[in-house]
Each structure stands twice: as structure tokens, then as C-alpha cells.
Amino acid sequence: MSSSSTTTTTTRLLMLKASDGVTFEVEEAVATKLGAINNMVEEEGSEDLICLPNVNGKFLGMVLEWCKKHANNNTNSDKGNDEVNKWWDKEFVMDLDQNTLYHLLMAADYLSGTELVDLLTEKVASMIRGKKVEEIRETFKIKSDFLPGQEEEIRKKNSWAFE
Amino acid sequence: MRPKAKHRIHILGDDLLEEVLFRLPHRRYLSHYTSVCKRWHSLISSPHFMRRFIQFHHYHRHHEPSYSILSTLQLHIHKPLAEIVSKKSKILHGKPSPSSGSYILHNLPSNAKIMTSCKDLLLLSPSKN
């Protein structure tokens, strides 16, 4: 604890380039909430432009929006940060259509955004919970690909769980 | 492939789909879902999946531990203990189980004593030789 450090954090900016060429300028503290970016920054040191060939601009933008929100909420030394984050997370996933949800999840996974992966997998799980098999198929547009009789057999085998 | 196939849950890799399924409350629940489609069936039925499912629930104790007691024990002894749907299970259930299974009570750990049972649940206690 040397001088009274008034937060003179020189915020380094990183340039992130998505697969479709869209670039984002992001504070290092925000981008390094993503494990993959954090590793790149640590390994490559001074590199300011990071290319991310597996995420397109739309989903990278959304992932970064989430990171920014969480980074900001965490620096605000308010008491109810967890609450704020939770509330904001809920809003964030509330109206996602399935297409966006899955692509965002894959983007978050690719970027090792563990907390975001948790949030999104939980969202998908919440769409499964409490549903019957037929309802699951309906929700996720899954077609049964069993051979005739196979499904019946599986159900019979698991009938102990249906009681 | 139908035109909108890329918008479907199927685009998720096995790892991510597993992460989703881990978040379901318990085994009984999951065994329902083996009949959704072939992919779900093979994922959920794999012993590897079940081990990780149990570990996940151990780790995230914020949910009540509602999966079966047998599954809990399985973690410690690494045997397919939870599958007692078997010919011999009629001893416990009083009626033959619908599947004549390849899983038998021999899979119970040798030092375990069955204290009581209810449907698919057994209460085991380590016996003091």
C-alpha cells in the first residue's frame, strides 16, 4: 500500500476481430473475463489485435455486452452486485430465440466464458425441465429417429422411472 | 437436412448438450429423456455421462440432492451400482421388473448392507464385516 492510489488504471484497449471482419474495441479488463482472450493476452503480451475466426460479429458483440455489464457491475463497489448481475442476466436471456441461444452458447464456449456458458446452459435446461418427451420434441423440433418398436422398448426398460 | 436444421439444438456439440443435461434435477428424470431421440439416448445412457452428472451435482450443492441414493454411492465405488433393474430386483420389489436386465445386484459393493428399499431406491449401509 504505497500512495493513496486513486484509480489511475490506464485502461488498455484491445481490438477483437470477428470472423466476418467486424471489430470491437474493448477494455482489457472486460475482454479478459473470457478465458480464451485472457490466455492470449498473457501469452502474446503486447498484441492489441486479436482475431477470432470462429465467432461472427453478432454473437461476439453479445458476448462482449455481457462481459461489459459484468465487469462494470463488479467494479461498482455496491453491496447488491450479485443481485444486480442476477437481475441483468435474467433480462439478458429472457427473450433469446433458440437460434441465438445456441449460437451464443457456442460462442461463449469457444471464448471460455465460463459464467456465460453456465447462464446459457441453465437457460436451455429450464426449457427442458418439467416437460414430457413429446413436449421436448415439440419445443426443440426434434424428430424421433428410432426404428419402429425401439422407442417402445426403451420406454419399457425405463418404466420404473415413469411411475 | 431440413432447411432450418442449423437453428436446432442439434447444432450443439456433445459437450455442450451434456452441460445442459447435467442441469436437470435427477436420474429418474433423465431416464425419461433417453426416448427423445437416438442422440439423447446414447449420451444419457453412457456410464461416462452418468459419472459426470453425479460429479456435477456433488459440486453444485445448491440444488437439493434429489437424485437417487444409489447414484450418490456410485461415485465412491465406481461400479454400475445404480442399475438394479434386474431379474433379481423382484426380491426387492415383490414383482419382476419389466426388463430382464443384465445389471444385477452383484454390482452392489461387497461390504454394503441393504437397510431398506422403496421403488428404485435402496438404502445401503457399509457393513462392519
Side-chain angles (χ1 to χ4, degrees), chain A residues 98-99 102-103 105-106 109 117-118 121-122 124-125 128-133 136-137 140-147 150-151 154-163, chain B residues 2 6-13 16 19-21 23-25 27-29 31-41 60 63 82-83 85 95 98-99 103 119-120:
Chain A
Q98 288 195 38
N99 178 39
Y102 305 140
H103 282 94
L105 176 52
M106 291 191 291
D109 184 51
V117 169
D118 277 348
T121 44
E122 178 53 41
V124 184
I128 298 177
R129 261 182 232 124
K131 289 203 170 88
K132 297 197 171 82
V133 171
I136 303 258
R137 288 192 189 133
F140 296 100
K141 307 275 180 292
I142 298 174
K143 275 189 108 178
S144 169
D145 50 0
F146 292 109
L147 297 172
Q150 250 180 353
E151 186 183 335
I154 291 168
R155 288 196 185 219
K156 224 191 263 172
K157 199 165 154 191
N158 289 314
S159 58
W160 59 280
F162 286 81
E163 281 166 18
Chain B
R2 309 245 297 268
K6 69 185 172 89
H7 297 171
R8 306 262 171 83
I9 195 166
H10 277 312
I11 62 169
L12 298 181
L16 283 177
E19 282 292 325
V20 168
L21 296 172
R23 286 167 168 77
L24 299 177
R27 280 193 84 242
R28 283 169 72 99
Y29 219 84
S31 50
H32 272 270
Y33 296 152
T34 52
S35 63
V36 168
C37 64
K38 280 186 183 170
R39 185 177 178 213
W40 286 39
H41 181 259
H60 297 83
H63 290 302
E83 306 291 347
V85 182
K95 58 176 183 188
S99 69
Y103 304 107
K119 301 216 168 160
D120 58 306

Side-chain angles (χ1 to χ4, degrees), chain B residues 86-97:
Chain B
S86 73
K87 282 176 191 159
K88 290 202 176 181
S89 72
K90 66 183 170 193
I91 299 166
L92 298 161
H93 295 193
K95 58 176 183 188
S97 73

Side-chain angles (χ1 to χ4, degrees), chain A residues 29-97:
Chain A
V30 171
T32 49
K33 281 194 81 64
L34 301 166
I37 309 273
N38 194 37
N39 286 346
M40 287 183 216
V41 169
E42 278 178 4
E43 278 166 24
E44 288 156 32
S46 57
E47 203 61 59
D48 284 345
L49 176 71
I50 296 177
C51 293
L52 301 164
N54 288 332
V55 201
N56 74 19
K58 179 183 171 190
F59 300 113
L60 180 58
M62 291 180 81
V63 171
L64 291 173
E65 186 195 348
W66 182 89
C67 292
K68 215 177 278 176
K69 233 0 172 219
H70 276 249
N72 287 344
N73 288 346
N74 290 344
T75 48
N76 281 343
S77 48
D78 260 332
K79 41 197 157 50
N81 268 340
D82 267 6
E83 286 307 307
V84 175
N85 280 342
K86 261 187 209 153
W87 178 84
W88 196 83
D89 279 352
K90 219 170 139 189
E91 293 278 301
F92 186 71
V93 296
M94 196 186 297
D95 296 321
L96 295 180
D97 60 80

Side-chain angles (χ1 to χ4, degrees), chain B:
Chain B
M1 282 275 141
R2 309 245 297 268
K4 286 208 170 164
K6 69 185 172 89
H7 297 171
R8 306 262 171 83
I9 195 166
H10 277 312
I11 62 169
L12 298 181
D14 283 355
D15 281 354
L16 283 177
L17 187 53
E18 280 185 2
E19 282 292 325
V20 168
L21 296 172
F22 288 159
R23 286 167 168 77
L24 299 177
H26 51 72
R27 280 193 84 242
R28 283 169 72 99
Y29 219 84
L30 274 171
S31 50
H32 272 270
Y33 296 152
T34 52
S35 63
V36 168
C37 64
K38 280 186 183 170
R39 185 177 178 213
W40 286 39
H41 181 259
S42 78
L43 268 187
I44 297 171
S45 312
S46 99
H48 168 75
F49 173 86
M50 219 25 99
R51 207 171 307 126
R52 292 185 57 212
F53 177 81
I54 292 159
Q55 277 164 355
F56 180 91
H57 281 255
H58 259 254
Y59 192 75
H60 297 83
R61 281 199 171 273
H62 50 87
H63 290 302
E64 74 279 21
S66 50
Y67 48 89
S68 86
I69 295 169
L70 284 167
S71 304
T72 319
L73 287 165
Q74 190 186 16
L75 185 69
H76 304 298
I77 55 173
H78 303 291
K79 279 187 177 184
L81 166 60
E83 306 291 347
I84 56 155
V85 182
S86 73
K87 282 176 191 159
K88 290 202 176 181
S89 72
K90 66 183 170 193
I91 299 166
L92 298 161
H93 295 193
K95 58 176 183 188
S97 73
S99 69
S100 58
S102 48
Y103 304 107
I104 51 169
L105 288 175
H106 291 149
N107 286 326
L108 292 178
S110 54
N111 63 344
K113 205 170 149 193
I114 299 170
M115 306 304 285
T116 184
S117 81
C118 173
K119 301 216 168 160
D120 58 306
L121 292 179
L122 284 185
L123 178 60
L124 299 185
S125 143
S127 66
K128 302 176 200 105
N129 297 327

